[in-house]
Amino acid sequence: MSTKKHGESELDRRGFLKCMAWVGTGAVWTMAGGVLEGMPLEGAMHGGMAKHMAGGGLRFAQISDSHIGFDKPANTDVTGTLRAAIAKIKAAPEQPSFVLHTGDLTHLSKPSEFDALQQVMSELGLPVFYVPGEHDVLEDDGRSYLQRFGKGTQGAGWHSFDQGGVHFIGLVNVVKAGGLGSLGSEQLEWLEKDVKRLKSSTPIVVFAHIPLWSVYPEWGWGTDDSARALSYLKRFGSVSVLNGHIHQVMQKVEGHVTFHTAMSTAFPQPAPGSAPSPGPMKVEADRLTKMLGLSRMSFHDVNHPIAITDVPLQEDAMATGAKDIVVDNFSFAPSTTAVAAGTAITWTNKDDVPHNIVSTELKFKSPVLDTDQQFTHSFDAPGTYKYYCSLHPKMTGQIVVG
C-alpha cells in the first residue's frame, strides 16, 4: 500500500508490576536503538516535543478501541470520549501527519456504528490508517469493515506504507475462531516478502489490534503465531509494535523490539488476572477520563528517538512535574525515562536487597537504599543521564531530559 490516504512466558509478579507502572500516565517515549524513552505529557505540551522535533520530522498519533455503539454503564457516551481524544490531537502544538486506529472501531459491526465512526474521525481532517479489531468483524466476515476502511489493503485488511523514512506495517490478527489472536500463513508470507526489500537500518512500526506478545493468554491477550512474524523483523535495529485490545498502557522491551499497548477511548478493562474475566470496567465518574486516552508519536531520523506519548483525556494534576522509578527484581522500571527540564525523579527501592543510584558521569549519587527507601534528584539541564547501581553494575538506566 502506498502513502495515499488510505513464545514469551506468562508475566511473573514483578514483571507485571513493571509493565503496569505505565498505566494511566502521560509520558512521551523516545526510541533509540529499539528502546523507548519517555517525557511527561506536560513537557510535551509545553514544547518538549518540539525540541526533539527541531528541524522537522514525522509526527503521528494512535487511537484505539473506540467501540462506537457501546452504551453500558462503563461509558454511556463513547462518541463523546472519542471526540475528546480527537480534540486532544487537534490541540497539540505539533500536528501529526496522520493517525493510526488499532481496531475495535465499533462495538457490534453495525453499519450505523461504522458510519458514526467514519463521521467522527473525519473531524480530524487527517489521513487515518486502520486495522480491524474483533468487534469490527462480527458480521459478514468483515466485509463491511473492508468496504469502508480497508480500500487498497490485502486479505482481511493488512497493508504497509512508508512515511518519513519509517516503514509502517498494519497487521490483522482478529480473524480467528477464538482464543488467542492469529495472523495466519497467508499474511505471514506477505509480511516476509514485504520487509525483504528493506534495509536493516529502516525503522519499523508494526500496528495491530491484539498484542503481539503474551500479555495474558488466559484472557486471549496474545497472538499465537507472533513469534514467526517477529522473526522476519530480527535484522532491523529499531522495531516498535503498537497494539490496542487490552484498554490499558503496558510496555515491554525485548532487545531491539519495543511493544506498547494503548488506552481505549471508550472504557477501561481490568489489569490481567485482577478480575474473573476481561470486559468493560466501571469506575468512578471522575476517574473515567483519566483512564481513557490516545498516544502521540514522532520520529526525526534514524539517529533520533521515535516518541510515544500516552495522553489521558484528563490528566491528574499531581502526576506532572515529577516522575517515579521503581527499583525491583535487580532492575530499574522503567529503565529509560524522558522528562522535561526541571522534573524531579524519585527512585524507590522495592527490592529485598539494598541498591544505589550512581551517575556514570558522577553528576549525582544516592546513598545505599534499603527496602522502601527513596532518592530524589532534579534534572534541570537537557541531556542524557546514564546511571547504574554500583552494588550490582548490571543494573542500568538512563534519564533523557528534553
Side-chain angles (χ1 to χ4, degrees):
M1 182 176 176
S2 71
T3 56
K4 295 179 181 179
K5 182 171 181 179
H6 197 339
E8 297 88 353
S9 61
E10 181 179 339
L11 291 171
D12 60 21
R13 180 189 68 84
R14 295 187 179 191
F16 171 67
L17 290 175
K18 291 175 197 171
C19 291
M20 291 305 293
W22 299 94
V23 174
T25 62
V28 176
W29 293 78
T30 325
M31 178 179 292
V35 178
L36 287 178
E37 307 165 353
M39 171 189 295
L41 175 62
E42 183 182 38
M45 292 298 292
H46 290 84
M49 181 72 79
K51 294 177 183 178
H52 283 292
M53 299 300 298
L58 175 66
R59 289 177 283 270
F60 61 100
Q62 177 190 5
I63 285 178
S64 197
D65 297 274
S66 47
H67 284 272
I68 295 300
F70 180 85
D71 60 359
K72 303 301 187 293
N75 184 0
T76 58
D77 186 13
V78 295
T79 301
T81 48
L82 174 59
R83 280 201 163 100
I86 289 174
K88 282 274 188 180
I89 295 173
K90 295 174 73 172
E94 301 89 23
Q95 282 295 291
S97 298
F98 58 88
V99 172
L100 305 178
H101 194 308
T102 47
D104 280 354
L105 289 66
T106 67
H107 196 59
L108 295 174
S109 303
K110 293 181 178 179
S112 59
E113 295 173 351
F114 283 123
D115 291 344
L117 184 283
Q118 201 162 21
Q119 172 60 40
V120 174
M121 294 300 290
S122 71
E123 296 171 9
L124 271 169
L126 296 170
V128 183
F129 297 92
Y130 299 88
V131 288
E134 73 276 11
H135 284 259
D136 302 318
V137 295
L138 296 175
E139 302 291 340
D140 63 22
D141 296 323
R143 288 192 297 275
S144 292
Y145 164 84
L146 288 173
Q147 288 171 1
R148 290 171 171 82
F149 307 102
K151 293 179 181 178
T153 65
Q154 300 190 43
W158 56 81
H159 57 101
S160 68
F161 61 96
D162 296 289
Q163 192 81 276
V166 182
H167 187 65
F168 291 82
I169 304 169
L171 298 179
V172 179
N173 56 359
V174 298
V175 182
K176 56 190 177 67
L180 293 173
S182 180
L183 296 162
S185 297
E186 181 184 359
Q187 184 174 194
L188 287 166
E189 290 170 4
W190 168 85
L191 174 62
E192 184 180 19
K193 293 177 183 177
D194 181 69
V195 301
K196 187 171 290 187
R197 62 183 173 81
L198 302 173
K199 295 180 179 179
S200 298
S201 59
T202 305
I204 304 293
V205 173
V206 177
F207 60 105
H209 182 63
I210 298 174
L212 293 185
W213 57 293
S214 295
V215 175
Y216 200 66
E218 291 86 342
W219 286 359
W221 288 4
T223 301
D224 61 2
D225 48 4
S226 60
R228 180 177 165 188
L230 295 170
S231 72
Y232 302 142
L233 306 176
K234 283 183 178 180
R235 67 183 178 90
F236 296 96
S238 176
V239 180
S240 298
V241 181
L242 310 177
N243 302 114
H245 188 58
I246 71 172
H247 295 219
Q248 57 199 279
V249 176
M250 294 182 70
Q251 184 262 351
K252 172 184 174 182
V253 178
E254 278 197 358
H256 62 290
V257 182
T258 297
F259 302 86
H260 187 273
T261 65
M263 290 178 280
S264 166
T265 67
F267 52 81
Q269 291 200 90
S274 66
S277 63
M281 183 173 70
K282 191 177 187 306
V283 298
E284 296 85 353
D286 61 349
R287 288 185 59 209
L288 178 61
T289 52
K290 297 175 183 177
M291 301 180 72
L292 305 179
L294 64 140
S295 299
R296 294 195 189 112
M297 288 82 170
S298 64
F299 186 82
H300 188 265
D301 61 37
V302 294
N303 296 314
H304 287 74
I306 225 178
I308 303 179
T309 311
D310 296 309
V311 186
L313 299 187
Q314 180 183 347
E315 298 162 69
D316 190 337
M318 299 299 292
T320 59
K323 197 77 177 177
D324 294 326
I325 294 176
V326 175
V327 186
D328 197 8
N329 200 24
F330 289 86
S331 64
F332 300 107
S335 61
T336 302
T337 302
V339 298
T343 300
I345 302 287
T346 297
W347 288 263
T348 302
N349 184 14
K350 290 296 183 182
D351 224 334
D352 298 329
V353 298
H355 298 291
N356 64 357
I357 293 90
V358 181
S359 164
T360 57
E361 298 180 351
L362 301 179
K363 294 182 178 180
F364 54 89
K365 181 179 180 179
S366 76
V368 174
L369 305 178
D370 204 350
T371 304
D372 292 329
Q373 289 187 325
Q374 295 181 324
F375 170 69
T376 300
H377 181 77
S378 182
F379 292 84
D380 299 321
T384 298
Y385 300 83
K386 296 184 179 181
Y387 64 90
Y388 67 104
C389 171
S390 67
L391 304 176
H392 311 97
K394 289 187 178 180
M395 294 172 56
T396 61
Q398 64 178 347
I399 307 297
V400 180
V401 182

